[in-house]
Amino acid sequence: MSASISKNMKMFCVSCQRFLQRCNVRRFSDGRGYESTMKGWIRHMRKQKHVNFIQLNDGTGKPAAQIVTSPEICSKDVTEGSCITAYGKYQESIAQEQSVEFLAEEIKVHGPCNMQKYPFQPRKIHSHEHLRQFLHLRPKTALTSAVLRIRNTATMAVHKYFQENGYIFIHTPILSSNDCEGAGQLFTVKVSEKNDDDEKKPIPEFFTSPVFLTVSGQLHLEAVASGISKVYTFSPAFRAERSQTSNHLAEFYMIEAELSFTESLEDIMQVMEGLIKSLTREVMETSADDIRFVHRRNSASSDLLTAIDDMIEKEFIRLPYVEALSIVNKICESPELKAEVCNIKIKIHNEDSQMS
């Protein structure tokens, strides 16, 4: 009997520890005598006659923490969207969704939320177009915060892979006078300040030669690779193609690496395969909850996550470009694939052929 109680207490303590880490709780931090404090924004709130349930989230991870409190300590400003600090203690939960919950004895509101003007209504799934209209507020939503956490994990995974394999990170410049191999249209950098002395007098150029936002850090990496054999960068790149479609981005982050003393193309392909698998594995393990949430919201295929797991375990097939293009063409001819997808693939191939 005592062994069973000890085991249950141990499991409860482990659950409490995980709960504290997940909810960013600080113990005995305010001197008020409360065991813990929780800070964040109210994502959902369910009011009952004798008890209120609050889903609190501070953006550091899913799922949100559940706060249980009495209606008496909830002022009119304790609403969905408001920023609060809850003082109280954690306790074992009888609900099946979580093993631990937070019993709040006092709630302080730092920033109330006017739900009549707030653009994101609780328990409503908003479209991506609607979220883009409120860039300063969308990190509060479950979808955007999940995507940002996944991106953070992926970024750290990129650095982790290269660092563990002996590469040196190089900060390549954003402003450059180089058009890296004619990779794309350039954004030109010019002074935009007004000449206060004489508006008609031309403003002198800031740079002595034309300067652009970089389209790639490759040329700088190649120069560094002549003295440091394994280098990489993970930096923003800018392309001024006049296209407002999803096929082109004016700004994006690009991974580039240079490896000296390579014997064959196989050396480069091994690095690429290792990076893709390492990055994917890290994201699938570290951000598993966020991945599943985003997948449910955006993917119509239930087999996507299984396909990703298979990709990590299997070796990548190497084949010539001509053979790969032949396979793509055969797929495009199949009735299962929509004509629109085929046209996109052909268009991308034609653009690549023109650039090369």
Side-chain angles (χ1 to χ4, degrees):
M1 184 70 176
S2 59
S4 177
I5 295 176
S6 176
K7 182 179 179 181
N8 292 335
M9 285 298 297
K10 183 177 180 180
M11 293 176 61
F12 176 65
C13 291
V14 171
S15 298
C16 290
Q17 184 179 10
R18 292 175 179 173
F19 182 80
L20 292 174
Q21 293 174 349
R22 187 188 74 198
C23 303
N24 197 21
V25 177
R26 297 186 299 171
R27 291 180 54 82
F28 305 103
S29 59
D30 52 24
R32 300 191 184 190
Y34 298 117
E35 291 190 12
S36 305
T37 62
M38 294 182 60
K39 299 182 179 182
W41 298 271
I42 298 178
R43 180 159 290 174
H44 301 303
M45 186 172 181
R46 181 161 53 93
K47 297 181 179 181
Q48 296 183 357
K49 185 176 181 180
H50 300 293
V51 64
N52 289 345
F53 296 96
I54 297 174
Q55 293 292 324
L56 193 70
N57 193 286
D58 65 357
T60 57
K62 283 183 61 67
Q66 176 166 280
I67 296 178
V68 181
T69 185
S70 63
E72 288 75 16
I73 69 171
C74 292
S75 66
K76 61 181 180 62
D77 291 331
V78 180
T79 62
E80 290 164 322
S82 61
C83 178
I84 67 169
T85 294
Y87 304 91
K89 59 184 178 181
Y90 55 91
Q91 63 182 12
E92 187 174 3
S93 175
I94 60 175
Q96 296 181 352
E97 292 77 11
Q98 71 276 330
S99 58
V100 182
E101 61 190 12
F102 190 83
L103 179 62
E105 301 173 13
E106 180 184 351
I107 294 179
K108 179 180 179 181
V109 179
H110 302 291
C113 178
N114 187 343
M115 291 305 298
Q116 294 181 348
K117 297 182 179 180
Y118 193 60
F120 306 136
Q121 297 303 313
R123 299 178 180 85
K124 181 179 179 180
I125 298 178
H126 298 89
S127 65
H128 298 295
E129 290 73 18
H130 181 75
L131 295 179
R132 293 190 188 103
Q133 298 179 37
F134 307 95
L135 298 181
H136 62 302
L137 294 176
R138 66 176 182 174
K140 295 177 179 291
T141 64
L143 178 61
T144 301
S145 61
V147 171
L148 291 176
R149 287 190 295 269
I150 293 172
R151 183 185 177 101
N152 170 72
T153 302
T155 300
M156 294 299 102
V158 169
H159 289 289
K160 179 181 178 181
Y161 172 79
F162 282 113
Q163 292 294 319
E164 290 181 349
N165 285 275
Y167 285 77
I168 303 299
F169 177 67
I170 304 298
H171 290 88
T172 54
I174 303 299
L175 301 180
S176 175
S177 59
N178 297 318
D179 181 4
C180 183
E181 298 183 359
Q185 298 296 322
L186 302 171
F187 285 106
T188 303
V189 179
K190 291 186 176 181
V191 177
S192 62
E193 62 184 359
K194 184 178 179 181
N195 193 325
D196 296 330
D197 298 333
D198 187 356
E199 294 185 3
K200 297 181 180 180
K201 184 178 179 180
I203 300 175
E205 292 292 339
F206 185 86
F207 299 102
T208 57
S209 60
V211 173
F212 316 100
L213 294 179
T214 181
V215 297
S216 170
Q218 180 181 349
L219 291 179
H220 298 88
L221 283 183
E222 289 176 350
V224 177
S226 64
I228 303 176
S229 60
K230 302 171 74 173
V231 293
Y232 78 101
T233 188
F234 189 12
S235 306
F238 305 87
R239 304 288 172 86
E241 281 88 354
R242 295 187 179 278
S243 174
Q244 301 299 322
T245 68
S246 59
N247 294 333
H248 294 87
L249 292 175
E251 177 185 356
F252 57 93
Y253 270 72
M254 184 159 57
I255 305 168
E256 298 176 277
E258 292 291 333
L259 176 63
S260 302
F261 311 115
T262 55
E263 298 294 335
S264 66
L265 185 60
E266 177 64 24
D267 296 337
I268 306 300
M269 290 190 289
Q270 287 180 358
V271 174
M272 295 175 63
E273 179 177 352
L275 171 62
I276 294 173
K277 288 185 175 181
S278 176
L279 189 156
T280 306
R281 184 181 294 107
E282 186 75 21
V283 170
M284 296 297 290
E285 293 176 357
T286 305
S287 301
D289 290 338
D290 288 325
I291 288 290
R292 285 192 291 267
F293 173 76
V294 174
H295 177 259
R296 289 195 301 268
R297 285 285 302 271
N298 294 276
S299 178
S301 173
S302 59
D303 300 329
L304 179 59
L305 297 182
T306 302
I308 293 176
D309 291 335
D310 292 341
M311 180 272 293
I312 296 175
E313 299 301 327
K314 295 180 180 179
E315 291 187 6
F316 286 8
I317 299 175
R318 272 74 163 163
L319 68 164
Y321 175 79
V322 175
E323 185 178 346
L325 183 60
S326 175
I327 295 175
V328 172
N329 289 334
K330 290 181 180 179
I331 295 176
C332 288
E333 294 172 358
S334 65
E336 291 80 10
L337 201 62
K338 295 181 180 179
E340 181 180 357
V341 177
C342 295
N343 293 333
I344 292 175
K345 292 181 179 294
I346 294 173
K347 179 182 177 182
I348 294 175
H349 168 64
N350 292 337
E351 290 178 351
D352 292 341
S353 300
Q354 293 175 1
M355 291 178 62
S356 59

